[in-house]
Amino acid sequence: MTRTGIPGQRRRRIAAGVVAANALLGFVLVMVHHPPIQVGPLHRAFPVEAVITSRFLLVLASLAQAGTVRGLLRGKRQAWLIATVAALAAIACFQVKRADLVGIAASAATAALLIAWAPLFPARSDPAMARRGIAWFVLGTAGAFVYALAGLWWLDRHFRGTESLIAIAEDAVRLVLIVPEANAEPVGRHGRWFLDSVRLFMGASLAVGTWHALSPVRYHLTEEQRELHRVREILEKWATSSLAYFHLMPDKSHFFASEGEAFLGYRVSRGVAVVLGGPIGEPEACRAVVREFIEFCDLNGWGFCFHQCAPGEVELLQSLGLKALKIGEDAVIRLPGFSLSGKSFKHIRATVNRMEREGYEVVELPQPIDDATMAELREVSDAWLADGHHRERQFTLGWFDEDYLRETRVLAVRAPSGRIEAFANVLPSFQSKEANFDLMRRRPDSPNGTMDYLFVRMAEQFRDAGMEGLNLGFAPLANIEETGVKGRVLNWLYEYGGRLFNFQGLRAFKDKWDPAWEPRYLVYRSEADLPGIALAVALVGEKASPVRLPWAKRELPELPAA
């Protein structure tokens, strides 16, 4: 089974392992005062001060190499550059450190391996973040120097050997470079604390700068009108998924196959590209677009996953070397022969009869919906959101938007007075014989059974139109079959996550319609990616950020017209 993505993953793992081992060896050899292997008098050729300085620099080189391991595994070019420079610098430092031949040989071998395998590390970093990393390093260095200079001057009573400004400036430079001070000798714990704080200041600046330099490419949600038209054309020709229409919502970007008709809809959160379902388009182009997208993610330094995939989509993705985890099921009412006869639908049948006796009816609102009716729909939606702590979601669902509702069929329950009590919008099915809807909202004070009444009339309309199923949507964590740690975690979430998400109540509501249950999967590359994927999936579904930062507010663009 061939691994998808940028080639050379096995060799990148070897390179990362070698760099990690060399970093660990560097830490060990720093603590060894006498080289394990000595050649003649060469190990006594350097003064003690230079040897001590080389040890501090070796600590920095080892820290730099250790910090690049994760980036090397992801094929990051900047990580390769930092690790290579650090290994070459370690060679020089080991020469000064009494000609430590073990360290010289290990660092030389590490540098040679990295240089020979340089083409295996093409992944980009975000240019803006890289510039920010350089700024952190420059400003951090300047700040640490000023801090060290001022501290040595104002705290001179805590040091010996700081009589002249030149000596203080020399010691400040040495502190910033995290090498031993030449003149300043601390007197008491306050002096030692200050010297350590300067080194900590500089070390933190280096760490923050390196983190920025190795950050993945930042995601920007952009969409062009012509791309949406292209997506719509492919959907109309090939789409069979219940999630298909949500690819037209403005919360997604699209990735197209270089050849043929196929695309993926996705959004990036926390460095993970979450794809909505599987690829849509020509079968061969679907295989190609998955390969190309994974390589695209690797080059950008992103993780990835495919969320809520149907069994047919899973089969394709698994053939490309990916793994699948069942995360729930879709409930689908089988419409041929659908009726309310029988004991199981006795309560629903009574509800429908009562609603009709009282004069309620289900109507389709004429399009385009006029402003007064739209205002009433918004009133219903706002009341529903305010009741029971509901909230707008996105990615696998739509949200209340006037343009969105004017693009779809809207069925509403009207009271005898003419007031709209509840509504649902119907989504296009494209090439599927399975009907879909999205928003399903009612007034909190509407009569009991209003939603059941709307469901029944909607199902009957679809049945009469020749549709074979009505998709009631996704029931998260329903009938999880996974064993081991993953299975225990998912079952624990299902049992105890109900306080936040009401998983069991959602499944019970769908189950009363006696639907067929179809499994849905999360597809990914490695179990090590699952914690980050879980967070990303949770965040892409939130219409509003869980943390509202004033400088991060951003409205989604309006849904383009068809």
Side-chain angles (χ1 to χ4, degrees), residues 454-478:
L454 180 55
F455 261 110
V456 169
R457 292 294 176 249
M458 187 163 54
E460 290 174 344
Q461 282 192 25
F462 291 138
R463 178 199 62 195
D464 296 343
M467 302 300 286
E468 296 177 358
L470 172 59
N471 193 300
L472 301 181
F474 182 58
L477 306 179

Side-chain angles (χ1 to χ4, degrees), residues 10 46 80 126 137 370 394 411 441 482 512 545:
R10 181 174 299 178
F46 297 96
W80 172 87
D126 190 89
F137 176 73
D370 60 76
Q394 63 178 13
L411 302 179
R441 301 188 174 178
E482 188 71 30
K512 73 179 182 179
S545 172

Side-chain angles (χ1 to χ4, degrees), residues 186-395:
V187 178
R189 62 186 180 89
H190 292 292
R192 289 192 296 272
W193 176 87
F194 176 75
L195 298 182
D196 291 338
S197 70
V198 176
R199 297 187 181 108
L200 183 62
F201 189 139
M202 191 58 199
S205 299
L206 288 171
V208 173
T210 302
W211 180 84
H212 280 84
L214 298 180
S215 294
V217 174
R218 300 184 72 180
Y219 168 73
H220 301 282
L221 177 60
T222 58
E223 193 62 273
E224 297 182 10
Q225 185 76 15
R226 59 184 177 83
E227 289 191 353
L228 284 174
H229 287 314
R230 187 178 176 188
V231 168
R232 190 181 294 273
E233 289 174 357
I234 296 174
L235 291 175
E236 290 174 350
K237 189 173 181 180
W238 296 100
T240 59
S241 167
S242 61
L243 300 173
Y245 190 81
F246 298 122
H247 286 286
L248 295 170
M249 301 295 284
D251 61 337
K252 297 170 189 71
S253 297
H254 298 102
F255 186 91
F256 295 91
S258 58
E259 296 182 4
E261 288 187 345
F263 77 93
L264 296 166
Y266 71 97
R267 188 181 180 96
V268 178
S269 177
R270 298 298 190 270
V272 177
V274 182
V275 181
L276 180 63
I280 297 176
E282 297 172 341
E284 286 305 315
C286 283
R287 296 180 65 86
V289 77
V290 172
R291 292 194 191 96
E292 292 167 354
F293 180 75
I294 293 174
E295 182 173 341
F296 171 72
C297 290
D298 285 346
L299 289 174
N300 285 333
W302 299 339
F304 66 88
C305 69
F306 297 81
H307 181 47
Q308 289 194 30
C309 293
E313 296 168 332
V314 170
E315 185 177 353
L316 166 64
L317 296 170
Q318 285 181 323
S319 71
L320 296 173
L322 303 180
K323 301 177 181 179
L325 174 67
K326 184 178 178 182
I327 55 172
E329 295 182 333
D330 268 12
V332 180
I333 299 176
R334 297 306 179 194
L335 293 179
F338 172 79
S339 72
L340 297 182
S341 61
K343 185 177 180 180
S344 60
F345 287 111
K346 178 181 179 181
H347 176 72
I348 297 175
R349 186 168 61 248
T351 297
V352 170
N353 292 335
R354 172 177 54 81
M355 297 288 290
E356 292 197 330
R357 283 197 307 269
E358 294 175 359
Y360 291 87
E361 61 177 343
V362 174
V363 298
E364 180 171 344
L365 301 180
Q367 292 285 8
I369 299 174
D370 60 76
D371 292 342
T373 304
M374 186 63 72
E376 190 172 5
L377 293 178
R378 182 176 290 278
E379 182 182 318
V380 174
S381 179
D382 289 346
W384 178 84
L385 289 170
D387 180 61
H389 307 289
H390 296 121
R391 66 190 188 281
E392 294 282 23
R393 303 297 302 276
Q394 63 178 13
F395 199 70

Side-chain angles (χ1 to χ4, degrees), residues 1 75 95 134 138 147 222 306 434 499:
M1 193 175 292
Q95 288 178 348
I134 294 173
V138 173
Y147 174 61
T222 58
F306 297 81
E434 203 171 86
R499 295 179 182 178

